[in-house]
Amino acid sequence: MSDVAPSAAQAGTSAKLFVRQSSGLVRNVSVTNALFFNVAAFVGVGLTLYPIFYSLAYVPVWTFWGLSNYAWAAIITGLFCVVLALIFASLTSVMPRSGGDYVFSSRITHPFVGWLESWTLVIASVLIIAFEVPLVLRNLQITARIIGIGPGGHFFDNANTWFTDSTGGITGTPGFIASLVVLLVIGVVVCLPTRTFHKVVTGLAGFGVACFVGMFIFGLAATSKSTFDANLPKYTGGVTADKIAASGKAAFLPGATDHFFSAIFSTTVFPFVLSILLFQYIGFQYSAYIAGEVRGNVKRGVLIALIGALAIGVFANSFYVDLISKHLGFDMNVSWGASYWGFNSNLSALPMGQPNSMPLLAAVANHGLWFIWMLISIGGMLFPFLLCPVYINFISRMELAWSLDRQVPEWFGGVNDRLKAPLNAILAVLGLSALFLFFQSYNALPHIFATTGNKLNLAGTAWFSITMAILTWTMPGINAMLVRWRRPDLVRNAPFRRWLPWMGLVWLVFPVWVYVFAVFKPIIDALKGSGKLHYLETNGILDALIFYGLGIVIYFVMLWRTRSKGVDTKMLFTEIPPD
Protein backbone atom coordinates (compact mmCIF):
# COMPACT_ATOMS: atom_id res chain seq x y z
CA MET A 1 0.00 0.00 0.00
CA SER A 2 1.27 3.47 -0.85
CA ASP A 3 0.93 6.24 1.65
CA VAL A 4 1.73 9.39 -0.30
CA ALA A 5 0.58 12.74 1.03
CA PRO A 6 -0.67 15.44 -1.39
CA SER A 7 1.65 18.31 -2.17
CA ALA A 8 1.53 21.48 -0.12
CA ALA A 9 0.04 23.31 -3.11
CA GLN A 10 -2.69 20.71 -3.50
CA ALA A 11 -3.49 20.82 0.20
CA GLY A 12 -3.62 24.61 0.20
CA THR A 13 -1.26 24.83 3.16
CA SER A 14 2.35 25.68 3.76
CA ALA A 15 2.79 22.82 6.27
CA LYS A 16 5.71 20.49 5.65
CA LEU A 17 5.00 17.04 4.24
CA PHE A 18 6.08 13.60 5.33
CA VAL A 19 6.37 11.67 2.06
CA ARG A 20 6.70 7.91 2.29
CA GLN A 21 6.05 5.05 -0.15
CA SER A 22 6.11 1.29 0.07
CA SER A 23 9.36 -0.17 -1.28
CA GLY A 24 7.77 -2.81 -3.53
CA LEU A 25 10.26 -5.53 -2.51
CA VAL A 26 9.13 -9.07 -1.69
CA ARG A 27 10.55 -11.40 0.99
CA ASN A 28 11.88 -14.13 -1.29
CA VAL A 29 15.31 -14.78 0.25
CA SER A 30 15.86 -17.83 2.47
CA VAL A 31 18.59 -18.26 5.09
CA THR A 32 20.50 -20.51 2.69
CA ASN A 33 20.21 -17.91 -0.06
CA ALA A 34 21.49 -15.22 2.33
CA LEU A 35 24.46 -17.40 3.36
CA PHE A 36 25.59 -18.03 -0.20
CA PHE A 37 24.88 -14.40 -1.08
CA ASN A 38 27.51 -13.46 1.51
CA VAL A 39 29.91 -16.17 0.35
CA ALA A 40 29.66 -14.95 -3.24
CA ALA A 41 30.10 -11.35 -2.07
CA PHE A 42 33.46 -11.83 -0.35
CA VAL A 43 35.25 -14.75 -2.06
CA GLY A 44 35.82 -13.12 -5.45
CA VAL A 45 39.12 -14.30 -6.93
CA GLY A 46 40.18 -15.91 -3.67
CA LEU A 47 39.26 -19.52 -4.41
CA THR A 48 42.25 -20.00 -6.70
CA LEU A 49 44.27 -16.79 -6.32
CA TYR A 50 44.62 -16.33 -2.56
CA PRO A 51 48.47 -16.71 -2.75
CA ILE A 52 48.77 -13.44 -4.69
CA PHE A 53 47.39 -11.50 -1.70
CA TYR A 54 50.39 -12.31 0.52
CA SER A 55 52.32 -9.51 -1.14
CA LEU A 56 49.58 -7.01 -2.10
CA ALA A 57 50.32 -4.96 1.03
CA TYR A 58 53.93 -4.60 -0.21
CA VAL A 59 55.35 -5.43 3.23
CA PRO A 60 57.48 -8.35 4.50
CA VAL A 61 55.60 -11.64 5.01
CA TRP A 62 56.84 -13.23 8.25
CA THR A 63 55.73 -16.52 9.79
CA PHE A 64 55.05 -17.65 13.36
CA TRP A 65 54.20 -21.18 14.50
CA GLY A 66 54.04 -22.18 10.85
CA LEU A 67 51.41 -19.58 9.90
CA SER A 68 52.10 -16.50 7.78
CA ASN A 69 51.32 -13.00 8.99
CA TYR A 70 48.56 -13.01 6.35
CA ALA A 71 46.95 -16.06 8.01
CA TRP A 72 47.29 -14.52 11.48
CA ALA A 73 45.69 -11.33 10.13
CA ALA A 74 42.82 -13.41 8.73
CA ILE A 75 42.21 -15.04 12.13
CA ILE A 76 42.41 -11.78 14.09
CA THR A 77 40.17 -10.00 11.59
CA GLY A 78 37.71 -12.89 11.78
CA LEU A 79 37.50 -12.70 15.58
CA PHE A 80 36.72 -8.99 15.48
CA CYS A 81 34.22 -9.54 12.64
CA VAL A 82 32.24 -11.91 14.89
CA VAL A 83 31.52 -8.83 17.02
CA LEU A 84 30.53 -6.93 13.87
CA ALA A 85 28.18 -9.78 12.89
CA LEU A 86 26.46 -9.58 16.30
CA ILE A 87 26.02 -5.82 15.88
CA PHE A 88 24.48 -6.26 12.44
CA ALA A 89 22.18 -9.06 13.64
CA SER A 90 20.99 -6.94 16.57
CA LEU A 91 20.30 -3.76 14.58
CA THR A 92 18.83 -5.61 11.60
CA SER A 93 16.35 -7.43 13.85
CA VAL A 94 14.73 -4.10 14.81
CA MET A 95 15.33 -2.38 11.45
CA PRO A 96 14.82 -5.24 8.97
CA ARG A 97 14.95 -3.08 5.87
CA SER A 98 17.01 -3.15 2.72
CA GLY A 99 19.84 -0.65 2.86
CA GLY A 100 21.70 -2.11 5.82
CA ASP A 101 24.08 0.25 7.55
CA TYR A 102 22.74 3.22 5.61
CA VAL A 103 19.44 2.76 7.44
CA PHE A 104 21.19 2.37 10.81
CA SER A 105 23.51 5.36 10.44
CA SER A 106 20.88 7.71 9.01
CA ARG A 107 18.46 6.91 11.85
CA ILE A 108 20.92 6.63 14.75
CA THR A 109 23.72 9.10 13.99
CA HIS A 110 22.63 11.56 11.26
CA PRO A 111 21.22 11.40 7.70
CA PHE A 112 24.38 13.05 6.33
CA VAL A 113 26.60 10.41 7.92
CA GLY A 114 24.35 7.61 6.64
CA TRP A 115 24.47 9.06 3.14
CA LEU A 116 28.23 9.58 3.05
CA GLU A 117 28.92 6.15 4.49
CA SER A 118 26.73 4.40 1.94
CA TRP A 119 27.83 6.62 -0.96
CA THR A 120 31.50 5.80 -0.37
CA LEU A 121 30.66 2.11 0.02
CA VAL A 122 28.83 2.13 -3.32
CA ILE A 123 31.76 3.78 -5.12
CA ALA A 124 34.23 1.36 -3.49
CA SER A 125 32.01 -1.56 -4.49
CA VAL A 126 31.71 -0.45 -8.11
CA LEU A 127 35.52 -0.18 -8.25
CA ILE A 128 35.72 -3.71 -6.86
CA ILE A 129 33.41 -4.85 -9.67
CA ALA A 130 35.82 -3.25 -12.13
CA PHE A 131 38.65 -5.01 -10.25
CA GLU A 132 36.96 -8.43 -10.57
CA VAL A 133 35.81 -8.39 -14.21
CA PRO A 134 39.33 -8.61 -15.76
CA LEU A 135 40.11 -11.35 -13.25
CA VAL A 136 37.21 -13.39 -14.64
CA LEU A 137 39.04 -13.22 -17.98
CA ARG A 138 42.36 -13.97 -16.27
CA ASN A 139 40.85 -17.10 -14.70
CA LEU A 140 39.52 -18.12 -18.11
CA GLN A 141 43.06 -17.88 -19.48
CA ILE A 142 44.36 -19.94 -16.55
CA THR A 143 41.70 -22.61 -17.11
CA ALA A 144 42.76 -22.86 -20.75
CA ARG A 145 46.43 -23.10 -19.71
CA ILE A 146 45.52 -26.05 -17.46
CA ILE A 147 43.89 -27.78 -20.44
CA GLY A 148 47.04 -27.05 -22.43
CA ILE A 149 49.16 -28.69 -19.72
CA GLY A 150 46.82 -31.69 -19.76
CA PRO A 151 45.69 -32.91 -23.19
CA GLY A 152 47.43 -29.96 -24.86
CA GLY A 153 46.60 -28.08 -28.04
CA HIS A 154 47.89 -24.96 -29.75
CA PHE A 155 44.70 -23.03 -29.00
CA PHE A 156 44.96 -23.62 -25.25
CA ASP A 157 48.75 -23.29 -25.12
CA ASN A 158 48.37 -19.71 -26.40
CA ALA A 159 45.64 -18.67 -23.97
CA ASN A 160 47.91 -15.95 -22.56
CA THR A 161 47.21 -13.93 -25.72
CA TRP A 162 43.43 -14.02 -25.30
CA PHE A 163 41.84 -10.62 -24.57
CA THR A 164 45.25 -8.90 -24.45
CA ASP A 165 46.86 -6.00 -26.26
CA SER A 166 50.48 -5.76 -27.39
CA THR A 167 51.69 -5.48 -23.78
CA GLY A 168 50.26 -8.89 -22.92
CA GLY A 169 47.86 -7.39 -20.37
CA ILE A 170 44.07 -7.69 -20.35
CA THR A 171 43.68 -4.07 -21.30
CA GLY A 172 43.27 -1.82 -24.33
CA THR A 173 40.54 -2.54 -26.87
CA PRO A 174 40.68 -6.38 -26.64
CA GLY A 175 40.50 -6.27 -22.84
CA PHE A 176 37.76 -3.64 -22.80
CA ILE A 177 35.55 -5.46 -25.32
CA ALA A 178 35.98 -8.78 -23.48
CA SER A 179 35.23 -7.04 -20.17
CA LEU A 180 32.05 -5.54 -21.62
CA VAL A 181 30.95 -9.02 -22.72
CA VAL A 182 31.47 -10.27 -19.16
CA LEU A 183 29.59 -7.24 -17.82
CA LEU A 184 26.72 -7.98 -20.22
CA VAL A 185 26.41 -11.54 -18.88
CA ILE A 186 26.56 -10.13 -15.34
CA GLY A 187 23.71 -7.81 -16.32
CA VAL A 188 21.64 -10.76 -17.53
CA VAL A 189 22.10 -12.55 -14.20
CA VAL A 190 21.38 -9.52 -12.02
CA CYS A 191 18.23 -8.77 -14.05
CA LEU A 192 16.72 -12.18 -13.30
CA PRO A 193 13.60 -12.15 -11.09
CA THR A 194 14.70 -12.00 -7.45
CA ARG A 195 13.78 -15.59 -6.55
CA THR A 196 15.54 -16.95 -9.66
CA PHE A 197 18.54 -14.69 -9.07
CA HIS A 198 19.10 -16.11 -5.61
CA LYS A 199 18.69 -19.69 -6.84
CA VAL A 200 21.41 -19.07 -9.44
CA VAL A 201 23.73 -17.43 -6.90
CA THR A 202 23.17 -20.21 -4.36
CA GLY A 203 23.77 -22.97 -6.91
CA LEU A 204 26.92 -21.49 -8.41
CA ALA A 205 28.35 -20.45 -5.02
CA GLY A 206 27.67 -23.97 -3.74
CA PHE A 207 29.69 -25.35 -6.67
CA GLY A 208 32.45 -22.90 -5.80
CA VAL A 209 32.55 -24.07 -2.17
CA ALA A 210 32.81 -27.66 -3.44
CA CYS A 211 35.81 -26.51 -5.49
CA PHE A 212 37.34 -25.13 -2.27
CA VAL A 213 37.06 -28.57 -0.73
CA GLY A 214 38.39 -30.24 -3.89
CA MET A 215 41.42 -27.94 -4.06
CA PHE A 216 42.20 -28.52 -0.40
CA ILE A 217 41.96 -32.32 -0.60
CA PHE A 218 43.47 -33.01 -4.02
CA GLY A 219 45.92 -30.10 -3.86
CA LEU A 220 47.54 -31.60 -0.77
CA ALA A 221 47.09 -35.32 -1.49
CA ALA A 222 47.78 -35.53 -5.22
CA THR A 223 50.77 -33.17 -5.68
CA SER A 224 54.30 -32.91 -4.35
CA LYS A 225 56.89 -30.16 -4.26
CA SER A 226 59.54 -32.36 -5.89
CA THR A 227 57.44 -33.02 -9.01
CA PHE A 228 56.37 -29.39 -9.13
CA ASP A 229 59.99 -28.19 -8.95
CA ALA A 230 61.02 -30.68 -11.63
CA ASN A 231 58.20 -29.78 -14.05
CA LEU A 232 58.01 -25.98 -13.62
CA PRO A 233 60.98 -25.01 -15.86
CA LYS A 234 59.22 -26.66 -18.82
CA TYR A 235 56.53 -23.97 -18.64
CA THR A 236 58.59 -20.93 -17.55
CA GLY A 237 61.37 -20.96 -20.12
CA GLY A 238 63.80 -22.53 -17.67
CA VAL A 239 63.03 -20.37 -14.61
CA THR A 240 63.12 -22.63 -11.56
CA ALA A 241 61.07 -22.52 -8.37
CA ASP A 242 64.25 -21.79 -6.40
CA LYS A 243 65.02 -18.78 -8.60
CA ILE A 244 61.48 -17.44 -8.17
CA ALA A 245 61.72 -17.93 -4.39
CA ALA A 246 65.10 -16.22 -4.20
CA SER A 247 63.83 -13.17 -6.12
CA GLY A 248 61.68 -12.05 -3.18
CA LYS A 249 64.05 -12.79 -0.32
CA ALA A 250 65.32 -9.27 0.28
CA ALA A 251 62.00 -7.41 0.07
CA PHE A 252 59.28 -9.84 1.11
CA LEU A 253 60.62 -12.84 3.04
CA PRO A 254 62.19 -12.10 6.44
CA GLY A 255 61.47 -15.65 7.63
CA ALA A 256 60.08 -16.76 11.00
CA THR A 257 59.73 -14.38 13.94
CA ASP A 258 60.20 -15.13 17.62
CA HIS A 259 58.48 -11.92 18.68
CA PHE A 260 54.84 -12.54 17.84
CA PHE A 261 53.21 -9.84 19.97
CA SER A 262 55.63 -7.12 18.93
CA ALA A 263 55.05 -8.19 15.31
CA ILE A 264 51.24 -8.02 15.47
CA PHE A 265 51.34 -4.68 17.30
CA SER A 266 53.80 -3.28 14.77
CA THR A 267 52.75 0.03 13.31
CA THR A 268 54.78 -0.44 10.13
CA VAL A 269 53.91 -3.92 8.79
CA PHE A 270 50.95 -5.72 10.33
CA PRO A 271 48.30 -2.96 9.92
CA PHE A 272 48.93 -3.06 6.16
CA VAL A 273 48.27 -6.80 6.12
CA LEU A 274 45.12 -6.27 8.19
CA SER A 275 43.93 -3.68 5.67
CA ILE A 276 44.25 -6.27 2.89
CA LEU A 277 42.12 -8.63 4.98
CA LEU A 278 39.49 -5.91 5.38
CA PHE A 279 39.54 -5.62 1.59
CA GLN A 280 39.16 -9.41 1.37
CA TYR A 281 36.38 -9.69 3.96
CA ILE A 282 34.21 -6.84 2.77
CA GLY A 283 31.03 -8.51 1.59
CA PHE A 284 30.58 -11.16 4.28
CA GLN A 285 28.00 -8.84 5.91
CA TYR A 286 26.04 -7.91 2.79
CA SER A 287 22.96 -10.04 3.48
CA ALA A 288 22.18 -7.39 6.13
CA TYR A 289 21.81 -4.93 3.25
CA ILE A 290 19.00 -7.03 1.71
CA ALA A 291 17.26 -7.74 5.04
CA GLY A 292 14.02 -6.37 3.61
CA GLU A 293 13.83 -9.49 1.43
CA VAL A 294 14.91 -12.17 3.96
CA ARG A 295 12.15 -14.59 5.01
CA GLY A 296 11.45 -15.77 8.55
CA ASN A 297 13.34 -14.75 11.67
CA VAL A 298 15.54 -11.92 10.42
CA LYS A 299 17.95 -11.97 13.37
CA ARG A 300 18.55 -15.71 13.06
CA GLY A 301 18.79 -15.59 9.27
CA VAL A 302 21.20 -12.69 9.15
CA LEU A 303 23.37 -14.06 11.98
CA ILE A 304 23.63 -17.53 10.40
CA ALA A 305 24.46 -16.00 7.03
CA LEU A 306 27.13 -13.69 8.48
CA ILE A 307 28.81 -16.19 10.82
CA GLY A 308 28.67 -18.97 8.21
CA ALA A 309 30.28 -16.84 5.50
CA LEU A 310 32.82 -15.50 8.00
CA ALA A 311 33.88 -19.02 9.01
CA ILE A 312 34.55 -19.90 5.37
CA GLY A 313 36.48 -16.64 4.93
CA VAL A 314 38.71 -17.20 7.96
CA PHE A 315 39.56 -20.77 6.98
CA ALA A 316 40.15 -19.88 3.32
CA ASN A 317 42.45 -16.95 4.10
CA SER A 318 44.48 -18.80 6.73
CA PHE A 319 44.91 -22.58 6.86
CA TYR A 320 43.67 -23.19 3.31
CA VAL A 321 46.02 -20.82 1.52
CA ASP A 322 48.97 -21.36 3.88
CA LEU A 323 48.93 -25.15 3.71
CA ILE A 324 48.69 -25.29 -0.08
CA SER A 325 51.25 -22.51 -0.56
CA LYS A 326 53.75 -24.19 1.76
CA HIS A 327 53.08 -27.56 0.18
CA LEU A 328 54.39 -26.28 -3.16
CA GLY A 329 56.80 -23.63 -1.83
CA PHE A 330 55.83 -20.70 0.37
CA ASP A 331 58.72 -18.40 -0.61
CA MET A 332 58.06 -19.16 -4.26
CA ASN A 333 54.36 -18.27 -3.94
CA VAL A 334 55.02 -14.98 -2.13
CA SER A 335 57.64 -13.92 -4.70
CA TRP A 336 55.50 -14.98 -7.67
CA GLY A 337 52.52 -13.02 -6.31
CA ALA A 338 54.68 -9.93 -5.84
CA SER A 339 55.73 -10.22 -9.47
CA TYR A 340 52.05 -10.27 -10.52
CA TRP A 341 51.40 -6.95 -8.74
CA GLY A 342 54.57 -5.49 -10.26
CA PHE A 343 56.29 -5.19 -6.85
CA ASN A 344 59.10 -7.71 -7.43
CA SER A 345 61.83 -5.94 -9.37
CA ASN A 346 63.96 -9.10 -9.30
CA LEU A 347 61.32 -11.05 -11.24
CA SER A 348 60.12 -8.68 -13.92
CA ALA A 349 58.83 -11.44 -16.23
CA LEU A 350 55.76 -13.10 -14.71
CA PRO A 351 56.31 -16.90 -14.62
CA MET A 352 54.05 -18.66 -17.13
CA GLY A 353 52.61 -15.21 -17.88
CA GLN A 354 50.02 -15.78 -15.14
CA PRO A 355 49.55 -15.20 -11.41
CA ASN A 356 50.26 -18.20 -9.18
CA SER A 357 46.81 -19.74 -9.31
CA MET A 358 46.60 -22.82 -7.09
CA PRO A 359 45.03 -25.18 -9.68
CA LEU A 360 47.56 -23.99 -12.29
CA LEU A 361 50.45 -24.89 -9.95
CA ALA A 362 48.75 -28.20 -9.17
CA ALA A 363 48.49 -28.96 -12.90
CA VAL A 364 52.23 -28.37 -13.24
CA ALA A 365 52.82 -30.80 -10.37
CA ASN A 366 50.35 -33.45 -11.59
CA HIS A 367 49.13 -33.00 -15.16
CA GLY A 368 47.33 -36.37 -15.07
CA LEU A 369 44.57 -34.82 -12.92
CA TRP A 370 44.15 -31.87 -15.29
CA PHE A 371 40.37 -32.39 -15.44
CA ILE A 372 40.03 -31.89 -11.67
CA TRP A 373 42.27 -28.81 -11.76
CA MET A 374 40.21 -27.48 -14.68
CA LEU A 375 36.96 -27.85 -12.71
CA ILE A 376 38.49 -26.09 -9.71
CA SER A 377 39.75 -23.31 -11.97
CA ILE A 378 36.24 -22.92 -13.39
CA GLY A 379 35.07 -22.44 -9.80
CA GLY A 380 37.82 -19.83 -9.49
CA MET A 381 36.38 -18.10 -12.55
CA LEU A 382 32.79 -18.26 -11.27
CA PHE A 383 33.45 -16.58 -7.92
CA PRO A 384 34.75 -13.24 -9.27
CA PHE A 385 31.93 -13.40 -11.80
CA LEU A 386 29.32 -14.05 -9.06
CA LEU A 387 30.64 -11.28 -6.86
CA CYS A 388 29.61 -8.71 -9.47
CA PRO A 389 25.84 -9.43 -9.70
CA VAL A 390 25.72 -9.84 -5.91
CA TYR A 391 27.35 -6.43 -5.45
CA ILE A 392 25.02 -4.85 -7.99
CA ASN A 393 22.06 -6.45 -6.22
CA PHE A 394 22.94 -5.03 -2.80
CA ILE A 395 23.92 -1.63 -4.27
CA SER A 396 20.55 -1.38 -5.99
CA ARG A 397 18.82 -1.96 -2.64
CA MET A 398 20.94 0.81 -1.14
CA GLU A 399 19.86 3.11 -3.96
CA LEU A 400 16.25 2.13 -3.32
CA ALA A 401 16.64 3.13 0.35
CA TRP A 402 18.20 6.43 -0.78
CA SER A 403 15.29 7.03 -3.10
CA LEU A 404 12.72 6.36 -0.36
CA ASP A 405 14.53 8.91 1.81
CA ARG A 406 14.82 11.44 -1.05
CA GLN A 407 18.62 11.26 -0.98
CA VAL A 408 18.58 10.65 -4.74
CA PRO A 409 15.86 11.17 -7.38
CA GLU A 410 12.92 8.78 -7.13
CA TRP A 411 13.87 7.32 -10.54
CA PHE A 412 16.48 5.14 -8.81
CA GLY A 413 13.88 3.49 -6.57
CA GLY A 414 11.44 2.27 -9.20
CA VAL A 415 10.83 -1.45 -8.45
CA ASN A 416 10.07 -3.50 -11.56
CA ASP A 417 6.98 -5.68 -11.08
CA ARG A 418 8.46 -8.65 -12.94
CA LEU A 419 11.88 -8.62 -11.30
CA LYS A 420 10.73 -7.45 -7.87
CA ALA A 421 13.91 -5.37 -7.94
CA PRO A 422 14.84 -1.71 -8.60
CA LEU A 423 15.74 -2.04 -12.29
CA ASN A 424 16.76 1.59 -12.82
CA ALA A 425 19.25 1.37 -9.97
CA ILE A 426 20.70 -1.83 -11.45
CA LEU A 427 21.14 -0.20 -14.86
CA ALA A 428 22.83 2.81 -13.25
CA VAL A 429 25.39 0.56 -11.51
CA LEU A 430 26.07 -1.36 -14.72
CA GLY A 431 26.70 1.91 -16.54
CA LEU A 432 29.08 3.18 -13.85
CA SER A 433 30.92 -0.17 -13.87
CA ALA A 434 31.40 0.09 -17.63
CA LEU A 435 32.84 3.60 -17.16
CA PHE A 436 35.41 2.36 -14.63
CA LEU A 437 36.29 -0.56 -16.92
CA PHE A 438 36.98 1.97 -19.66
CA PHE A 439 39.42 3.87 -17.42
CA GLN A 440 41.09 0.57 -16.48
CA SER A 441 41.56 -0.28 -20.15
CA TYR A 442 42.63 3.00 -21.76
CA ASN A 443 45.14 5.75 -20.96
CA ALA A 444 42.31 8.28 -20.80
CA LEU A 445 42.56 9.66 -17.27
CA PRO A 446 44.43 12.82 -16.38
CA HIS A 447 47.68 11.69 -14.77
CA ILE A 448 46.73 13.19 -11.41
CA PHE A 449 43.72 10.82 -11.13
CA ALA A 450 45.40 7.69 -12.48
CA THR A 451 46.97 4.93 -10.35
CA THR A 452 49.42 4.00 -13.12
CA GLY A 453 50.28 5.95 -16.27
CA ASN A 454 46.98 7.48 -17.30
CA LYS A 455 44.67 4.71 -16.16
CA LEU A 456 43.58 2.67 -13.14
CA ASN A 457 45.30 -0.55 -12.14
CA LEU A 458 44.25 -3.43 -9.89
CA ALA A 459 46.59 -2.70 -6.98
CA GLY A 460 45.64 0.99 -6.98
CA THR A 461 41.97 0.03 -7.15
CA ALA A 462 42.38 -2.12 -4.04
CA TRP A 463 43.88 0.75 -2.03
CA PHE A 464 41.23 3.16 -3.36
CA SER A 465 38.49 0.78 -2.15
CA ILE A 466 40.14 0.42 1.27
CA THR A 467 40.27 4.21 1.60
CA MET A 468 36.66 4.63 0.50
CA ALA A 469 35.40 2.03 3.00
CA ILE A 470 36.54 3.88 6.16
CA LEU A 471 33.00 4.80 7.23
CA THR A 472 31.65 1.37 6.27
CA TRP A 473 33.99 -0.27 8.78
CA THR A 474 33.78 2.33 11.57
CA MET A 475 30.12 3.40 11.65
CA PRO A 476 28.67 0.05 12.86
CA GLY A 477 30.69 0.48 16.04
CA ILE A 478 29.61 4.10 16.48
CA ASN A 479 25.97 3.20 15.83
CA ALA A 480 26.12 0.39 18.40
CA MET A 481 27.58 2.77 20.99
CA LEU A 482 25.01 5.54 20.35
CA VAL A 483 21.77 3.71 19.62
CA ARG A 484 20.56 3.24 23.23
CA TRP A 485 20.80 7.01 23.78
CA ARG A 486 19.97 8.32 20.31
CA ARG A 487 17.11 5.95 19.42
CA PRO A 488 15.89 4.02 22.47
CA ASP A 489 12.54 3.59 20.69
CA LEU A 490 14.17 1.50 17.95
CA VAL A 491 16.51 -0.59 20.08
CA ARG A 492 14.05 -1.43 22.88
CA ASN A 493 13.47 -4.97 21.63
CA ALA A 494 16.85 -5.57 20.02
CA PRO A 495 18.82 -8.69 21.00
CA PHE A 496 22.10 -8.01 22.82
CA ARG A 497 20.86 -4.43 23.43
CA ARG A 498 22.60 -4.15 26.82
CA TRP A 499 25.87 -5.24 25.28
CA LEU A 500 25.64 -3.13 22.14
CA PRO A 501 27.71 -0.16 23.42
CA TRP A 502 30.49 -2.49 24.56
CA MET A 503 30.40 -4.50 21.35
CA GLY A 504 30.59 -1.25 19.41
CA LEU A 505 33.62 -0.14 21.39
CA VAL A 506 35.38 -3.50 20.97
CA TRP A 507 34.76 -3.50 17.23
CA LEU A 508 35.78 0.13 16.77
CA VAL A 509 39.26 -0.54 18.16
CA PHE A 510 40.00 -2.73 15.15
CA PRO A 511 39.25 -0.49 12.13
CA VAL A 512 40.66 2.58 13.92
CA TRP A 513 43.97 0.73 14.50
CA VAL A 514 44.09 -0.38 10.86
CA TYR A 515 43.22 2.97 9.31
CA VAL A 516 45.43 5.05 11.57
CA PHE A 517 48.56 3.07 10.73
CA ALA A 518 47.79 1.64 7.28
CA VAL A 519 46.08 4.67 5.70
CA PHE A 520 46.50 7.93 7.65
CA LYS A 521 50.10 7.48 8.82
CA PRO A 522 51.43 6.69 5.28
CA ILE A 523 49.53 9.70 3.90
CA ILE A 524 51.05 11.98 6.56
CA ASP A 525 54.52 10.54 5.94
CA ALA A 526 54.09 11.00 2.17
CA LEU A 527 53.00 14.61 2.60
CA LYS A 528 56.22 15.29 4.52
CA GLY A 529 58.34 13.88 1.69
CA SER A 530 59.21 15.06 -1.80
CA GLY A 531 57.03 12.52 -3.64
CA LYS A 532 53.79 13.46 -1.89
CA LEU A 533 51.68 13.83 -5.04
CA HIS A 534 52.99 10.60 -6.55
CA TYR A 535 51.93 8.62 -3.45
CA LEU A 536 48.45 10.15 -3.41
CA GLU A 537 48.02 9.42 -7.14
CA THR A 538 49.29 5.85 -7.26
CA ASN A 539 47.29 4.75 -4.20
CA GLY A 540 44.00 6.26 -5.33
CA ILE A 541 43.90 8.73 -2.42
CA LEU A 542 43.20 11.75 -4.65
CA ASP A 543 40.44 9.84 -6.42
CA ALA A 544 38.90 8.97 -3.05
CA LEU A 545 38.95 12.62 -1.96
CA ILE A 546 37.17 13.60 -5.16
CA PHE A 547 34.39 11.09 -4.55
CA TYR A 548 34.05 12.15 -0.92
CA GLY A 549 33.64 15.74 -2.15
CA LEU A 550 31.13 14.70 -4.81
CA GLY A 551 29.09 12.83 -2.19
CA ILE A 552 28.94 15.92 0.00
CA VAL A 553 27.75 18.05 -2.91
CA ILE A 554 25.03 15.55 -3.86
CA TYR A 555 23.76 15.39 -0.28
CA PHE A 556 23.27 19.15 0.09
CA VAL A 557 21.79 19.55 -3.40
CA MET A 558 19.21 16.83 -2.67
CA LEU A 559 18.54 18.26 0.82
CA TRP A 560 17.77 21.66 -0.74
CA ARG A 561 15.62 20.01 -3.43
CA THR A 562 13.66 17.97 -0.88
CA ARG A 563 13.05 20.86 1.49
CA SER A 564 12.03 23.14 -1.38
CA LYS A 565 9.20 20.69 -2.05
CA GLY A 566 8.00 21.06 1.53
CA VAL A 567 8.98 17.57 2.71
CA ASP A 568 9.50 17.18 6.46
CA THR A 569 12.98 15.67 6.41
CA LYS A 570 13.12 15.40 10.20
CA MET A 571 10.10 13.13 10.22
CA LEU A 572 11.47 11.26 7.22
CA PHE A 573 14.50 10.09 9.17
CA THR A 574 12.62 9.47 12.39
CA GLU A 575 10.81 6.54 10.78
CA ILE A 576 12.54 3.51 9.31
CA PRO A 577 12.02 2.83 5.58
CA PRO A 578 8.96 0.72 4.73
CA ASP A 579 8.87 -2.91 3.56
Side-chain angles (χ1 to χ4, degrees), residues 49 84 94 120 123 141 144 162 171 174 179 218 278 297 314 353 371 380 382 384 417-418 445-446 459 529 541 560 562:
L49 291 176
L84 181 63
V94 291
T120 52
I123 298 301
Q141 288 182 335
W162 298 358
T171 186
S179 295
F218 290 102
L278 280 181
N297 186 312
V314 171
F371 189 75
L382 282 176
D417 289 337
R418 184 182 70 85
L445 275 176
I541 307 299
W560 170 81
T562 302

Side-chain angles (χ1 to χ4, degrees), residues 13 89 103 116 126 197 206 229 321 546:
T13 177
V103 177
L116 196 61
V126 175
F197 169 81
D229 289 350
V321 62
I546 290 170

Side-chain angles (χ1 to χ4, degrees), residues 69-119:
N69 60 357
Y70 182 88
W72 283 113
I75 294 168
I76 292 170
T77 303
L79 291 174
F80 275 99
C81 282
V82 170
V83 179
L84 181 63
L86 294 174
I87 293 171
F88 267 105
S90 180
L91 295 180
T92 303
S93 67
V94 291
M95 289 179 272
R97 302 293 187 264
S98 291
D101 217 33
Y102 161 72
V103 177
F104 310 151
S105 295
S106 62
R107 270 65 187 173
I108 297 169
T109 305
H110 192 275
F112 172 72
V113 176
W115 159 258
L116 196 61
E117 174 191 2
S118 54
W119 162 258

